[in-house]
Amino acid sequence: MSQPPPPNQPPQQPNQPPQQPAQPSQQPPAAPGGPDLNKAPEPGYGYPQAPQAPQAPQVPQTPPPSAPPAAPQGPGYGYPQQPPPAPGYGYPQQPPPAAGYGYPGQPPAPGYGQPGQQPTGPYGQPGYGFPQPPTMPLQPQPQPGGGRKFNAQMAIIISAVTAIALIVGGGIYYASSSGTDDDKNTATKGGEGKENGNGGDQGQGGGEGSSSGGGKEKAPADTGSKLLFQVPAPKVPKDVSSVSTSGSWLTDTVYAKSGVAEIVGYDRAKGTEKWKLALPGPVCSATDHVSGDNKTAIVYKPAMPAKGKPQSCTEVGLIDLESGKKLWSKTAKSGTTPVNFNNVTLSGGTVAAGSTSGGAAWEIASGKQLWAPKTSDTCYDSGYGGGEKLVAVRKCGTYDERQLHIQTVDPKTGNVVSEYKMDEGIEYAAVVSTEPLVVAADVGDSAGDGSGISDFFSIDNSTGKLRTRIPAPGEDFAARCDAIYKLEDCSALVVGNDRLYISTEEHEGDGESYVRTNEIVAFDLATGKQTGQRADAGDGYDLVPLRMDGGNVIAYKRPPYDKGGQIVSIDGGTFKQTVLLENPATEAVRDAETRMLPTSAEILFSQGGLYMSKVYASDFTTQDKEYLVVAFGTG
């Protein structure tokens, strides 16, 4: 789960339309269990304003290449409004003067319930999903049909021109990889992504054979969704500016979500409360992984933080997502001091948590401690990756001579099965997948965009040998990982079929609408080369992979200003996209949806249900209605 924008920053603006006279707003249809999004909103930021007299037309300006295009201005809903006097939570930050287009601002200071935060991604910066001003009037294009026929020669010419345009349009991404246009190899090993958890396969898999299809998610007769329910943003305690609400999970019947010092289980379809688990303090960290019998793990604080009374993340708990019960809660000590855990994961019958003081593990069934932090040497387990395997990121050496050991360990004993030693000087690594084993690192702080990724390392977790290293320049790829604290917290990428599926950065679309778009491309984890597969988002959309579904990729398409978001299934072999769900385009619903950024919000989809939630609650208040959860469904 990716990190959100820092507390006390203004909410994310929805994508806006080009300049035009203000139009009367339309109200969305009634939604079961969710009246808040269906009543007329009070006047305020991001909502319809009273119509004003049309302004004189403005001469379109072409922004300089080195700076992002300015968002269009104009009265009425759908146009950028004046920001409030002071920035607040959820609003985009302005990039620093030296930052270029698509680069995030400086990392914010840590907030309550979170050891630290990562900078926000490129989403939300000026230009995302906004039509850009044309440099000349758009002219109607001739269309085939209407009695006009093309001869064979004309058809050949058009086909050739189209093919050249496609090659040129995709060239920047292929040229940036270690492969070439001639190296369009397909993987020979793949997997079904057998891991249980959170609505489906989590992008990890082993086994033989290439992949095409085999997913459980099927398109319904009507892909149009309706609003199932929404949960208002919770209030935070006095003297606390923000509280972590990290953690959301799906079972066949329950959608569970962390709130302020609680976890609530909701009926997946109705949003009615099925159970509530009160906690003494906020959830600091949660694993995405869920056991076969619907158990998961969290790290939380023993009490609510208050002014002058900070709390550490010392408690590790096992939660039953069907009953809503906390089955056990444990702590560990380094010497005589309780360990402040940064991350937690689950693999097999083991819960493991890591920290700067070392790692510890417990048996799921009994809560019995399997191993404790080691304090007798110069190495420590900073964190773990879970799922089909258990992988430790072990740090050795002094701060200025650090070396990371990527270890596949036995989840019952902690004994090392295999080990890969990374080059010295790499300070942090994130675990993208444990089977096949893939880690991400920012080598020499060369990413330059705050993503935490400059390279991916594909490792054989049986022998510990490096299979291949995949460069991923920040200017070309949009994936992000929190390699400092949570280690498994990556977005805009998934692993399956022995391939890495990753979002590209936004770029100008192919049409004449002057909007942004992106793609998902695939890398072979055996060769490090691109496979030649590419899924296009379409003008105005941003395509982000969420998880694997058998051999298919489930992805979210963040919408332009005038449409609803989509969930699509991308065939792992042909890369053909199938729409599984499309959200309403009404302004109130779209405004709530687009505040959930794919690089920071938790987005889960399964069985026709889409659940989007935030990972922080803040004391910042506006006239806009803020939501912790927004849920959509088909059928």
Side-chain angles (χ1 to χ4, degrees), residues 405-496:
H405 297 191
I406 309 301
Q407 300 176 333
T408 298
V409 301
D410 184 328
K412 294 182 179 180
T413 64
N415 294 336
V416 177
V417 176
S418 66
E419 180 179 74
Y420 171 72
K421 295 181 180 180
M422 304 189 78
D423 293 341
E424 290 186 5
I426 300 176
E427 184 69 20
Y428 304 103
V431 180
V432 178
S433 166
T434 62
E435 179 62 18
L437 177 54
V438 180
V439 298
D442 186 357
V443 180
D445 297 323
S446 59
D449 61 351
S451 65
I453 304 170
S454 67
D455 296 83
F456 293 95
F457 297 78
S458 175
I459 302 167
D460 186 323
N461 55 15
S462 297
T463 64
K465 293 182 179 180
L466 180 69
R467 299 174 68 196
T468 189
R469 176 171 169 175
I470 303 172
E475 64 267 23
D476 291 342
F477 299 101
R480 309 181 69 81
C481 286
D482 179 0
I484 298 177
Y485 294 109
K486 296 189 176 179
L487 271 70
E488 289 185 292
D489 187 5
C490 295
S491 62
L493 79 169
V494 296
V495 169

Side-chain angles (χ1 to χ4, degrees), residues 363-401:
E363 185 179 67
I364 287 179
S366 65
K368 174 185 176 182
Q369 190 171 53
L370 300 176
W371 64 84
K374 298 178 181 179
T375 58
S376 60
D377 56 24
T378 59
C379 298
Y380 64 92
D381 291 356
S382 64
Y384 301 93
E388 291 190 47
K389 304 283 186 181
L390 184 62
V391 173
V393 177
R394 189 164 180 80
K395 290 191 174 186
C396 295
T398 59
Y399 179 81
D400 55 348
E401 295 181 352

Side-chain angles (χ1 to χ4, degrees), residues 141-163:
Q141 301 299 312
Q143 301 293 331
R148 184 176 181 180
K149 299 181 180 179
F150 291 124
N151 57 30
Q153 183 178 4
M154 181 61 71
I156 293 173
I157 293 172
I158 290 176
S159 299
V161 171
T162 302

